Amino acid sequence: TIGQNVGANDRIHAQYYVYKGKAALSACPVLPRFTKLNNGALKVDRPGAMMLTFSPAVAERKYDWARKQLFALSVTEVGSLITLGTKDSCEFFHDPSIRTSAAGQVRKSLSVKPLMDCSGYFISLNVVNNALQTNERLTVPITSAEFAVMCTTFRFALPILMGWDRYNNSQPLLLNVGVTTAKLD
Amino acid sequence: TIGQNVGANDRIHAQYYVYKGKAALSACPVLPRFTKLNNGALKVDRPGAMMLTFSPAVAERKYDWARKQLFALSVTEVGSLITLGTKDSCEFFHDPSIRTSAAGQVRKSLSVKPLMDCSGYFISLNVVNNALQTNERLTVPITSAEFAVMCTTFRFALPILMGWDRYNNSQPLLLNVGVTTAKLD
Amino acid sequence: TIGQNVGANDRIHAQYYVYKGKAALSACPVLPRFTKLNNGALKVDRPGAMMLTFSPAVAERKYDWARKQLFALSVTEVGSLITLGTKDSCEFFHDPSIRTSAAGQVRKSLSVKPLMDCSGYFISLNVVNNALQTNERLTVPITSAEFAVMCTTFRFALPILMGWDRYNNSQPLLLNVGVTTAKLD
Amino acid sequence: TIGQNVGANDRIHAQYYVYKGKAALSACPVLPRFTKLNNGALKVDRPGAMMLTFSPAVAERKYDWARKQLFALSVTEVGSLITLGTKDSCEFFHDPSIRTSAAGQVRKSLSVKPLMDCSGYFISLNVVNNALQTNERLTVPITSAEFAVMCTTFRFALPILMGWDRYNNSQPLLLNVGVTTAKLD
C-alpha cells in the first residue's frame, strides 16, 4: 500500500464504506507528500489521491479484504466525479507500472455508469494482469445518497489532496514598516 | 442520550433550532468514536451521526423537552437529505434495538415531504413503542431557508461525522531520503 | 456596535467590501456568544450573525462611515439568501428594540431584488426611525460575481455562526474498555 | 513575485498544475496581508488573490517557467469564475501599474471562453507591453474536470483570501456576568 514512509500517513484511519451484495467499496484520502525546502517552507512533492478500495463478497455481509483491489483517483479524476450529471458516465485508465519496464502488464480501469433509472451509479473496477493472466471485475451499485456523501466529502478533501489546507490559518502575513512588498500583477 | 463515555462528546453544545407551532426541531452533530491503535494511530470505530431532536409544544413558544424524541441520521441518510429536490420526499426507518432480543419493540420513522407549494418540507418523526403501547408523531414544517441552513451545515458536518476532518492540517508526510514510498496504484 | 464584551470579538477585522456609486456595502461574520458550563463544556448562548453595513457615498469613492446603518442577518436569513434564485427576491424585517418598551420606534427592512436582466441584485436597507423622524434608504447594486462571493463565504461562515466549527478537530471521543456508551437511537 | 516581505508567504508551495500542448497553467492562493492594531487585533490590509501562472511550452512536456506570465484574480473575479455557466464566458483586465506614472504601459487581459462543445473552456492570458513592444498570448484549454477542481478549490480558498478563515475556531466569545453586550441590530 501507499504512504508507508515513517508511517506518518497511517495516523488516521477513516474510510467511507459501502457494502453491497457482490462487493464492498471504501474511499479515503491519501495525503500529499511534501519536501522541506532549505528555508523551512513546505512544497508539495506529490499530490494526494482519493483511494478507492474494492473487496469481493465471500458470504452475506462478509468481504475478502485480502483480495482487495485499489484505484487511486487523481485530483483531476476527483474533479470529473464531482461534476458528473445523473445521466453521465466516465471512465479512467491507470497503469501502476507506467514509465517502468513493467509498463502495460497490469491495466486498471474504473468506470462510473448511471443506473437505468438514474437513481445512482454502477462503479466498476476492472484489473487485467497479463503476468498473472487474471482479469477481475468488481462492481458496486451506488445510490444517489451514497454518491452525494462521496461528492460532498471528496469536495472537502480536494484542497487537502493538493496541500491547500495548509494555507488555512497559516501564520498571518503582516505588513511591516520599511519593507516593500511586490505588487500582485 | 449518546456519547456519554468520559463526557468527551459533551464539550460543545451547539444546535440548530427550529421552533414551530406544534413542535420544535433541533439538529446537532454527534462525533464519531475512535479507537487508538498500538502504533498511536486513530481509527474510526463508529461513525458519527446527525442527531435530530423533536419536542412537542405545550404552550405558545414553550416546548416539553422532557418528552423529546431522537432520530440519529447516518452519514448516508444525511447524503439523502442534502440531495433532496424541492419536489422529492424520503423516509428512513430505525429500530433502536436492532440485533438485540428487543428488536421490533420500538420502531421509528422519519419522513421528509415537500410542502404543497414546494416552499419547504414537512419533517415528521413517528415513534411506535409496542412495549409502552404508545404511538407518537411530531411534525415540524421547514421553510426552504431553514432547509438551506440544514443542508449547508450538514454538508460541513459530513467529513466530521466520518472523521475526515482529522486529515485536515495533519502532520505533513515528508519525503525522506533513503526511504522508499510505495506507488499509489 | 456589537460583541463588545472584553473585546474578544474584535481580534479579527476582515470584511467583504462592495463600493458602488451611491453607497458601499460590507459584510462580516459576528461570532456566536458562548457560556461555559460547570463541567467546562461550551454552550452557544446566542448564535452569531452576518453583519451587513451600508454607508452612503459623499463623493466619488468616498463614503461616510459615520452615517453607516447595520443589519444583522440571522442564521436562517443567511439560509434564505444563499438559496435565492436569479429571479427571486426576499425581504427581512428587524426591530432593534423588539420586546422592550421602545419596540416599534425603529423599523429596519432589508430587501434583495433581482436586477432587470437578472445579472445581479439590488440590496436595499430601509431604516425608519420614528423618534428621530428619519427615513433612510441605502441601495447597493450587486453583480452576480459579488453575490457569488457572498454566497460562498456566507456558506463557509454558517457553521461558525452556529458554533459548529468547534466540532471540527475537537478532542477525539475514544472508545474505552469497561465504559458503556449509549446507543444512537 | 508577490508577498515577499519576511518570506512569510513562502512557507507553503502548493499549486494546481494543468499541463497542455502549448502552455501550462498553475493556480495557487496568495494570502491576504494583515496589519496588527494597537489592541492586538488583526485587520486585513490587502485581500489575497488567486494567482494564475501561464508558461509557454518549449518542447513536449517541457515549459519555460522563466517566461511565465502572472494574473492575480481578485476575490470578486474568483466569484465570477465560480458561477460561470458551461456556455458563459468572461474577461478581466488588469494594469499592473495602475495609479502610477507607468499606467497603461502594460495591459493584461484574461479571457475564459467555452470550448465549442461546452466540455470545458479556453483560458487565455494576453499581455501587451508597450515599453518592450511585446504582445504575448498564452492559451490553455481546460476540461470540465479541471475546471471543477479549480471551482471547488477556489471556493475553499475564498474565505482564506478574505481573512475569514481566522474567524474559524477563534477564541470563544464568552458571556460574562456584569458585562453588557450591545445588541446585534
Side-chain angles (χ1 to χ4, degrees):
Chain A
T1 69
I2 63 149
Q4 288 175 330
N5 63 334
V6 292
N9 203 17
D10 295 326
R11 274 167 313 212
I12 316 281
H13 297 267
Q15 308 237 4
Y16 178 57
Y17 290 100
V18 176
Y19 300 103
K20 294 293 163 79
K22 295 191 176 165
L25 168 62
S26 72
C28 72
V30 175
L31 298 176
R33 201 178 54 188
F34 296 89
T35 46
K36 203 160 201 161
L37 303 183
N38 287 334
N39 63 5
L42 281 179
K43 184 181 157 68
V44 172
D45 172 65
R46 185 179 70 182
M50 186 59 64
M51 184 61 79
L52 302 182
T53 304
F54 293 77
S55 298
V58 286
E60 211 182 308
R61 294 175 160 267
K62 289 227 162 182
Y63 302 90
D64 186 352
W65 297 98
R67 282 171 55 207
K68 72 182 175 192
Q69 295 282 1
L70 306 178
F71 197 89
L73 292 169
S74 72
V75 160
T76 299
E77 287 164 349
V78 169
S80 189
L81 263 196
I82 61 178
T83 46
L84 211 63
T86 51
K87 293 172 184 173
D88 295 343
S89 58
C90 61
E91 188 158 15
F92 311 122
F93 299 91
H94 286 189
D95 177 345
S97 306
I98 196 165
R99 285 179 221 122
T100 72
S101 58
Q105 287 207 340
V106 175
R107 282 172 298 131
K108 295 182 176 188
S109 69
L110 184 91
S111 78
V112 182
K113 285 178 185 156
L115 299 182
M116 288 260 269
D117 60 358
C118 291
S119 69
Y121 299 91
F122 284 115
I123 304 189
S124 299
L125 176 60
N126 188 220
V127 181
V128 177
N129 189 319
N130 288 330
L132 304 176
Q133 298 213 315
T134 56
N135 185 336
E136 273 195 281
R137 173 175 290 274
L138 292 162
T139 298
V140 176
I142 295 283
T143 67
S144 59
E146 289 156 350
F147 194 69
V149 172
M150 288 187 184
C151 287
T152 302
T153 53
F154 288 10
R155 275 193 198 98
F156 166 82
L158 262 188
I160 298 176
L161 303 187
M162 289 159 59
W164 284 27
D165 57 320
R166 293 178 189 282
Y167 290 111
N168 199 38
N169 272 314
S170 62
Q171 188 75 12
L173 175 69
L174 289 172
L175 169 66
N176 289 321
V177 180
V179 176
T180 37
T181 53
K183 280 176 307 153
L184 284 172
D185 279 308
Chain B
T1 69
I2 62 148
Q4 288 175 330
N5 63 335
V6 292
N9 203 17
D10 294 327
R11 274 166 313 209
I12 317 279
H13 296 267
Q15 307 238 3
Y16 178 57
Y17 290 100
V18 176
Y19 299 103
K20 294 294 162 79
K22 295 192 177 164
L25 168 61
S26 72
C28 72
V30 175
L31 299 176
R33 203 177 53 188
F34 295 90
T35 47
K36 204 159 201 162
L37 304 183
N38 288 334
N39 63 5
L42 281 178
K43 184 180 157 68
V44 173
D45 172 65
R46 185 180 70 181
M50 186 59 64
M51 185 60 80
L52 302 182
T53 303
F54 293 77
S55 298
V58 286
E60 210 183 308
R61 292 175 162 267
K62 288 227 163 181
Y63 301 91
D64 186 353
W65 296 98
R67 282 170 55 208
K68 72 182 175 192
Q69 295 282 1
L70 306 178
F71 197 89
L73 293 168
S74 73
V75 161
T76 299
E77 287 164 349
V78 169
S80 188
L81 264 196
I82 61 179
T83 46
L84 211 63
T86 51
K87 294 172 184 171
D88 294 344
S89 58
C90 62
E91 189 158 14
F92 311 122
F93 300 91
H94 286 189
D95 178 344
S97 307
I98 197 165
R99 285 180 220 118
T100 72
S101 59
Q105 288 207 340
V106 176
R107 282 172 297 129
K108 297 183 175 187
S109 70
L110 184 91
S111 78
V112 183
K113 285 179 184 155
L115 299 181
M116 287 260 270
D117 60 358
C118 292
S119 70
Y121 300 91
F122 284 115
I123 305 190
S124 300
L125 176 59
N126 188 219
V127 180
V128 177
N129 189 319
N130 288 330
L132 304 176
Q133 297 214 317
T134 57
N135 185 336
E136 274 196 279
R137 173 175 290 274
L138 292 162
T139 298
V140 177
I142 295 284
T143 67
S144 58
E146 289 156 349
F147 194 69
V149 172
M150 288 187 184
C151 286
T152 302
T153 53
F154 288 10
R155 274 193 199 98
F156 166 82
L158 262 189
I160 298 176
L161 304 187
M162 289 160 58
W164 284 28
D165 58 319
R166 291 175 191 284
Y167 290 111
N168 199 38
N169 272 316
S170 63
Q171 188 75 11
L173 176 69
L174 289 171
L175 170 66
N176 290 320
V177 180
V179 177
T180 36
T181 53
K183 281 175 307 155
L184 284 172
D185 279 308
Chain C
T1 69
I2 64 147
Q4 287 174 331
N5 62 335
V6 293
N9 204 17
D10 295 327
R11 273 168 313 213
I12 316 281
H13 297 266
Q15 307 238 5
Y16 178 57
Y17 290 100
V18 176
Y19 300 105
K20 293 294 163 79
K22 297 191 176 163
L25 168 62
S26 72
C28 72
V30 175
L31 298 177
R33 202 178 54 188
F34 294 89
T35 46
K36 204 160 200 162
L37 304 183
N38 287 334
N39 63 5
L42 281 178
K43 183 179 158 68
V44 172
D45 171 66
R46 185 179 70 182
M50 185 58 65
M51 184 60 80
L52 301 183
T53 304
F54 293 77
S55 297
V58 286
E60 211 182 308
R61 293 174 161 267
K62 288 226 163 182
Y63 302 91
D64 186 352
W65 296 98
R67 283 171 54 209
K68 72 182 175 193
Q69 296 281 2
L70 306 178
F71 197 90
L73 293 169
S74 72
V75 161
T76 300
E77 287 164 349
V78 169
S80 189
L81 264 196
I82 61 178
T83 45
L84 211 63
T86 52
K87 293 170 184 172
D88 295 343
S89 58
C90 61
E91 188 157 14
F92 311 122
F93 300 92
H94 286 189
D95 177 344
S97 307
I98 197 166
R99 285 179 220 122
T100 73
S101 58
Q105 288 208 338
V106 176
R107 282 171 297 131
K108 296 183 176 187
S109 69
L110 184 92
S111 78
V112 183
K113 286 179 183 156
L115 301 180
M116 288 260 269
D117 60 356
C118 292
S119 69
Y121 300 90
F122 284 116
I123 305 189
S124 298
L125 176 58
N126 187 221
V127 181
V128 177
N129 189 319
N130 288 329
L132 305 176
Q133 296 212 317
T134 56
N135 185 335
E136 273 196 282
R137 175 175 289 275
L138 292 162
T139 298
V140 177
I142 294 284
T143 66
S144 59
E146 289 156 351
F147 194 70
V149 171
M150 288 187 184
C151 287
T152 302
T153 54
F154 289 9
R155 274 193 200 98
F156 167 81
L158 262 189
I160 298 176
L161 304 186
M162 290 161 57
W164 285 27
D165 58 318
R166 292 177 190 281
Y167 290 111
N168 199 38
N169 272 316
S170 62
Q171 189 75 11
L173 175 69
L174 288 172
L175 170 66
N176 290 321
V177 179
V179 177
T180 36
T181 54
K183 282 174 308 154
L184 284 172
D185 280 307
Chain D
T1 69
I2 64 147
Q4 288 174 331
N5 63 336
V6 292
N9 203 17
D10 295 326
R11 274 168 313 212
I12 316 281
H13 297 266
Q15 308 236 4
Y16 178 57
Y17 290 100
V18 176
Y19 300 104
K20 293 294 162 80
K22 295 191 176 164
L25 168 61
S26 72
C28 73
V30 175
L31 298 177
R33 202 177 54 187
F34 295 89
T35 46
K36 203 159 201 163
L37 304 183
N38 287 335
N39 63 4
L42 281 178
K43 185 180 157 65
V44 172
D45 172 65
R46 185 179 69 182
M50 187 57 65
M51 184 61 80
L52 301 183
T53 303
F54 293 76
S55 298
V58 287
E60 211 182 308
R61 294 174 159 268
K62 288 226 163 181
Y63 302 90
D64 186 353
W65 297 99
R67 283 171 54 207
K68 72 183 174 193
Q69 296 281 1
L70 305 179
F71 197 89
L73 293 169
S74 72
V75 161
T76 299
E77 286 164 351
V78 169
S80 189
L81 264 196
I82 61 179
T83 45
L84 211 63
T86 52
K87 293 171 183 171
D88 296 342
S89 58
C90 61
E91 189 158 15
F92 311 122
F93 299 91
H94 286 189
D95 177 344
S97 307
I98 196 165
R99 286 180 219 122
T100 73
S101 58
Q105 288 208 339
V106 175
R107 283 172 296 130
K108 296 182 175 188
S109 70
L110 184 91
S111 77
V112 182
K113 286 179 184 156
L115 299 181
M116 288 261 269
D117 59 357
C118 292
S119 70
Y121 300 91
F122 284 115
I123 304 189
S124 298
L125 176 59
N126 187 222
V127 181
V128 177
N129 189 320
N130 288 330
L132 304 176
Q133 297 213 319
T134 56
N135 184 336
E136 272 196 281
R137 175 174 289 275
L138 292 161
T139 298
V140 177
I142 295 284
T143 66
S144 57
E146 289 156 349
F147 194 69
V149 171
M150 288 187 183
C151 287
T152 303
T153 53
F154 288 10
R155 273 192 200 99
F156 167 81
L158 262 188
I160 298 176
L161 304 186
M162 289 160 59
W164 285 26
D165 57 319
R166 293 179 188 282
Y167 290 111
N168 198 38
N169 272 314
S170 62
Q171 190 73 12
L173 175 70
L174 288 172
L175 170 66
N176 290 321
V177 180
V179 177
T180 36
T181 54
K183 281 174 307 154
L184 284 172
D185 279 308

